[in-house]
Amino acid sequence: MPTLPRARGPLSAALIADLRGETTLVDRTPPEPAPLGSGDEELALWLLYELHHHGFDDAVDGGTEHEWRPDLLALRGDLERRLEQRWRERVAAADLPELPVGAEPADLARAFFALCEADTGAESVARFLQREADEEQLAEVLRQRSIYHVKEQDAAMWTLPRLPDTTKAHLVTIAADEYGNGRPDDLHAQLWARGMRACGLDAAYAAHVDGALPAVLEQNNLMSLLGLHRRLVPAALGHLAAFEVTSAVPSRRVVRGMERLGTPEPMVAYYREHMVADAVHEQLAVRDLVGSYVAEVPGSEPEIAFGAAVCLLVEAATATAVLEHVRRDDETAAGEDVA
């Protein structure tokens, strides 16, 4: 179980105090969060979602009683509505390619791949790692990415009991690789942990949340949002499929960058595994997972497209934030050296 992180503003502070049993939000109006981008609202929602994952070692009873407490569910609902609204607005403003409704499976697949190739205007973190990053910049990127990689596909698996049987089978096929095909040591989260330890980085679950950028927390919150709500199942599938489509090539670039830097083999092996696995998964995710769902649930294409677009746009936003962060830290260190 992780421990509770540091607060980032009035809302996350009040929630953390409640989880610790110091005060309670029951019968109280939660404080307004600090402005978006401060990390306060983003952390508060992340905390509420984590109650459905592992909970917290220093919360009262690990947070078990908080998981389904009505007032906290209401708070989560308010934060979720704000999160969904702003990303629906961003998707609409981005004017990305749409998926045709009622198209033949081959045409739907072509349209989905075309959507995933749309230019979001963001610089690639993978290209940066391949060509420019030094060891400390790589380490900071790994810390930021650990927020997701310690749990990999868990959020998407919340959709499993809500899927038609055919789609369910395709999701399990993809997930089997993520979860080690029955071998616990081969879980991708375990491969990640071994890579982090080999790099001298803390591999514990949620170890790096205090340093996580607000954009990183937002990205993780979106995956939880899509996975937890039955009405958003098609969006969750679109997100997962787009994630698989856009992972293999960046993983190859990351491997090349790590080989350039002499990164320990266990971490290189993690990305090498994704070079291969995601190249296979992208076809399964688009043609089988998405294709079978559309066949069973006609008219779901717009929501699938929304989920895919969210995946692309939030990845672009996160990449921009991470690159600004690691380059700014590098410039600050260079300035201190000169001084």
Side-chain angles (χ1 to χ4, degrees):
M1 248 188 223
T3 55
L4 288 160
R6 292 192 299 268
R8 303 199 189 185
L11 181 58
S12 57
L15 180 55
I16 290 169
D18 190 316
L19 289 165
R20 286 187 173 133
E22 298 167 356
T23 61
T24 181
L25 289 171
V26 174
D27 298 326
R28 284 176 48 202
T29 300
E32 280 295 310
L36 195 67
S38 66
D40 187 28
E41 180 172 333
E42 297 91 334
L43 180 61
L45 185 53
W46 182 87
L47 287 164
L48 292 167
Y49 282 144
E50 282 302 310
L51 293 174
H52 300 293
H53 283 282
H54 288 267
F56 299 96
D57 187 58
D58 50 347
V60 176
D61 198 24
T64 303
E65 296 302 317
H66 291 79
E67 183 179 1
W68 298 109
R69 214 175 76 190
D71 63 307
L72 296 185
L73 291 177
L75 171 60
R76 197 191 86 187
D78 288 342
L79 296 176
E80 286 178 324
R81 282 186 285 275
R82 292 158 64 127
L83 175 66
E84 183 177 351
Q85 179 180 351
R86 62 178 171 263
W87 282 96
R88 287 198 180 272
E89 291 172 354
R90 291 178 191 181
V91 167
D95 195 28
L96 295 172
E98 299 179 354
L99 296 182
V101 176
E104 292 296 316
D107 293 331
L108 176 66
R110 277 193 291 271
F112 195 95
F113 284 116
L115 169 58
C116 292
E117 291 170 1
D119 183 9
T120 60
E123 188 179 355
S124 166
V125 173
R127 283 196 182 95
F128 171 74
L129 295 179
Q130 179 183 357
R131 301 171 181 173
E132 303 176 38
D134 59 27
E135 290 183 5
E136 181 48 43
Q137 289 172 324
L138 169 62
E140 182 56 22
V141 170
L142 296 178
R143 294 184 194 103
Q144 295 295 329
R145 289 190 168 181
S146 72
I147 311 305
Y148 164 73
H149 286 306
V150 292
K151 52 189 175 185
E152 290 282 342
Q153 211 174 71
D154 290 355
M157 295 307 292
W158 275 320
T159 66
L160 186 64
R162 304 162 183 163
L163 297 175
D165 285 348
T166 303
T167 309
K168 189 180 294 185
H170 294 314
L171 177 58
V172 170
T173 298
I174 295 170
D177 285 341
E178 301 287 343
Y179 293 110
N181 289 298
R183 296 181 295 274
D185 285 347
D186 290 343
L187 263 75
H188 285 185
Q190 286 297 314
L191 299 180
W192 175 262
R194 287 201 290 274
M196 290 288 280
R197 287 193 292 269
C199 292
L201 301 172
D202 194 336
Y205 186 92
H208 301 286
V209 168
D210 278 333
L213 298 170
V216 169
L217 296 175
E218 180 103 332
Q219 182 180 35
N220 282 266
N221 287 342
L222 276 164
M223 286 185 270
S224 296
L225 170 72
L226 298 182
L228 274 170
H229 291 268
R230 185 160 53 89
R231 67 180 176 83
L232 293 173
V233 162
L237 297 181
H239 184 289
L240 174 60
F243 191 92
E244 298 291 351
V245 168
T246 56
S247 293
V249 172
S251 291
R252 186 177 301 114
R253 292 191 177 114
V254 172
V255 166
R256 290 172 180 165
M258 288 181 171
E259 289 173 342
R260 173 180 63 84
L261 291 169
T263 303
E265 175 57 26
M267 183 54 79
V268 182
Y270 172 85
Y271 280 97
R272 195 178 289 118
E273 163 69 15
H274 283 72
M275 282 170 49
V276 177
D278 292 347
V280 175
H281 289 172
E282 68 176 44
Q283 297 296 325
L284 293 173
V286 175
R287 300 183 188 280
D288 296 338
L289 185 76
V290 168
S292 68
Y293 188 83
V294 169
E296 295 278 357
V297 188
S300 56
E301 294 93 339
E303 276 297 277
I304 290 171
F306 166 69
V310 161
C311 178
L312 300 175
L313 294 175
V314 75
E315 177 62 34
T318 305
T320 297
V322 168
L323 287 172
E324 288 179 353
H325 171 64
V326 297
R327 285 172 170 154
R328 181 171 59 248
D329 285 353
D330 190 50
E331 291 170 359
T332 299
E336 291 172 351
D337 289 343
V338 171

